[in-house]
Amino acid sequence: MERTIGFKVAVVGATGNVGREMLDILAERRFPADEVVALASPRSTGTEVSFGDKVLKCKSLEHFDFSGTDICLMSAGGTISKEWSPRIAAQGCVVIDNSSAWRYDSNVPLIVPEVNADAIAGFTKRNIIANPNCSTVQLVVALKPLHDKAKIKRVVVATYQSVSGAGKDAMDELFSQTRAVFVSDPVTTKIFSKRIAFNVIPEIDVFMEDGFTKEEWKMMAETKKILDPKIKLTATCVRVPVFIGHAEAVNIEFEHPISAKEAQDILREAPGCLVIDKREPGGSITPHEAAGEDATYISRIREDATVENGLSLWCVADNLRKGAALNAVQIAEVLINRKLIAPKQKAA
Ligand SMILES: NC(=O)c1ccc[n+]([C@@H]2O[C@H](COP(=O)([O-])OP(=O)(O)OC[C@H]3O[C@@H](n4cnc5c(N)ncnc54)[C@H](OP(=O)(O)O)[C@@H]3O)[C@@H](O)[C@H]2O)c1
């Protein structure tokens, strides 16, 4: 009798912040993979990365044949993705991409499983699925159940984004600058436009013509694509000297009335959400506590009387997990659970 075996999964960018987290999450969630391959640039060939209690040796993306691989979790930046995702997809391997390269392509679904899992069916057009930007993922997880209840008209967001959102070199920069400040060494800046240690920088990604940054534009465009094109959203995205965990101060205007208590009750039941909301010192979640966790945490839910049907809240998640790696693995799980893909290899 024929026995079906598990999936073969490749992680591209396995030495990076998101790639390492992907390997951890695949192992933690006992993803039904018979084989997991770690891929990175030629510089990392032979570099060892952890996968559960195993160690994988990285191979070079350039020399890898994807014809026997079912799922590619891609996390090596937009340039690499633009070049490689179509080639990998053409070999019959579904690409789940973390960069912004494919997010706005109408033939590529942009998925947060708790929010728009049904849209995944469109993946067959290109064999590529896009993972949203980290700051968008946690936002739409929190907005979706409230939108279902009272219909969101407009959202105003200010983000407080950790340095890990800019990759491993950015984390090193915060560390070395902090150290330099303490020992009175000169502070050098490479990744960020200004010193990030003991500072905040109101600019993430490049500037657009209208004065908004690309990070701010992404949040607006992705929320529309994932949740509802009618929602108006304006954002100010800010980098803060935190290693892991993005926080967002969110103000929401609804079409219909919704009280803070109703919003709390709805969010308590909502998939992927955890409400920590005691109106006392220390009664809210912070990035430090959310790091390493899977949930999108919501605190400080309160009515905003300055607009009709207004609410304000505070939303925090681990940007490397729900903002990137966990969401990508959850997308792969949807593909499998809905039987949208089957393993290529079958054992006799
Ligand atoms: N960090 C976040 O919160 C977050 C959230 C959402 C999306 N993303 C996106 O996820 C992607 C990765 O982010 P990250 O934070 O993990 O960056 P990172 O820490 O800088 O890691 C980049 C990874 O890409 C690999 N890479 C670079 N050039 C390559 C090439 N020519 N071929 C194959 N692999 C190559 C690197 O391998 P080497 O070590 O060999 O150079 C490394 O594994 C980006 O597109 C980012 O925008 C990040």
Side-chain angles (χ1 to χ4, degrees):
M1 198 176 74
E2 192 180 68
R3 177 179 72 90
T4 48
I5 60 169
F7 292 84
K8 181 170 175 184
V9 178
V11 175
V12 177
T15 53
N17 273 344
V18 175
R20 284 176 192 270
E21 207 69 47
M22 281 171 166
L23 290 168
D24 283 349
I25 291 171
L26 287 169
E28 273 171 36
R29 293 172 76 92
R30 298 177 185 276
F31 191 87
D34 273 4
E35 192 182 347
V36 174
V37 189
L39 303 173
S41 78
R43 298 179 289 276
S44 299
T45 301
T47 298
E48 294 188 338
V49 288
S50 303
F51 171 57
D53 51 11
K54 298 194 191 96
V55 169
L56 305 179
K57 277 201 165 73
C58 282
K59 297 178 184 173
S60 167
L61 167 65
E62 276 175 34
H63 303 115
F64 192 72
D65 172 7
F66 284 86
S67 56
T69 305
D70 300 292
I71 300 168
C72 172
L73 300 178
M74 185 87 176
S75 180
T79 312
I80 305 294
S81 179
K82 274 198 186 121
E83 181 186 347
W84 281 92
S85 294
R87 289 199 212 171
I88 297 169
Q91 292 184 64
C93 175
V94 183
V95 178
I96 301 171
D97 181 48
N98 260 283
S99 78
S100 57
W102 304 97
R103 288 179 193 152
Y104 319 109
D105 185 320
S106 56
N107 290 321
V108 173
L110 180 65
I111 301 293
V112 177
E114 294 89 340
V115 180
N116 65 338
D118 291 346
I120 205 168
F123 85 95
T124 49
K125 289 185 193 145
R126 283 200 191 271
N127 237 11
I128 300 173
I129 301 167
N131 210 40
N133 198 34
C134 38
S135 45
T136 309
V137 177
Q138 67 186 72
L139 179 71
V140 294
V141 167
L143 291 184
K144 158 81 175 158
L146 302 177
H147 185 52
D148 287 347
K149 168 75 184 168
K151 205 149 188 228
I152 295 172
K153 276 164 62 180
R154 178 168 182 259
V155 187
V156 183
V157 189
T159 71
Y160 304 71
Q161 297 182 225
S162 66
V163 294
S164 57
K168 57 189 175 184
D169 294 345
M171 294 177 86
D172 291 344
E173 186 153 308
L174 172 59
F175 183 84
S176 56
Q177 286 184 355
T178 306
R179 193 197 143 277
V181 171
F182 272 117
V183 299
S184 301
D185 274 354
V187 172
T188 51
T189 292
K190 230 168 91 190
I191 305 285
F192 297 112
S193 58
K194 298 202 179 198
R195 172 177 134 175
I196 185 66
F198 307 99
N199 202 7
V200 295
I201 307 174
E203 150 205 336
I204 299 179
D205 209 334
V206 295
F207 277 88
M208 317 273 292
E209 264 183 19
D210 61 3
F212 280 84
T213 63
K214 186 84 185 281
E215 188 81 356
E216 292 158 354
W217 178 85
K218 285 180 205 165
M219 187 176 258
M220 181 272 295
E222 293 176 19
T223 301
K224 284 178 183 288
K225 181 165 174 178
I226 298 165
L227 196 51
D228 188 337
K230 292 205 189 84
I231 293 177
K232 291 180 184 164
L233 185 145
T234 183
T236 304
C237 292
V238 181
R239 190 72 73 190
V240 298
V242 167
F243 281 106
I244 294 174
H246 288 357
E248 295 168 355
V250 187
N251 181 263
I252 315 161
E253 227 181 304
F254 295 89
E255 209 158 295
H256 308 294
I258 178 168
S259 70
K261 170 78 172 66
E262 277 175 305
Q264 264 193 355
D265 291 345
I266 289 165
L267 290 168
R268 275 190 214 288
E269 298 299 317
C273 294
L274 263 177
V275 175
I276 310 256
D277 197 7
K278 287 197 180 141
R279 293 177 172 181
E280 61 189 36
S284 307
I285 190 82
T286 62
H288 175 64
E289 295 146 309
E293 301 292 330
D294 288 349
T296 294
Y297 291 89
I298 299 134
S299 300
R300 305 283 329 272
I301 304 165
R302 60 212 191 271
E303 282 149 39
D304 171 16
T306 66
V307 290
E308 211 183 335
N309 306 325
L311 278 183
S312 290
L313 55 84
W314 173 249
C315 166
V316 183
D318 182 325
N319 54 295
L320 298 179
R321 290 178 75 90
K322 187 56 192 164
L326 171 63
N327 198 68
V329 173
Q330 285 175 313
I331 292 172
E333 289 171 349
V334 173
L335 281 175
I336 293 170
N337 294 340
R338 296 192 175 196
K339 301 198 180 339
L340 296 171
I341 58 165
K344 283 177 180 169
Q345 297 179 37
K346 301 217 188 248

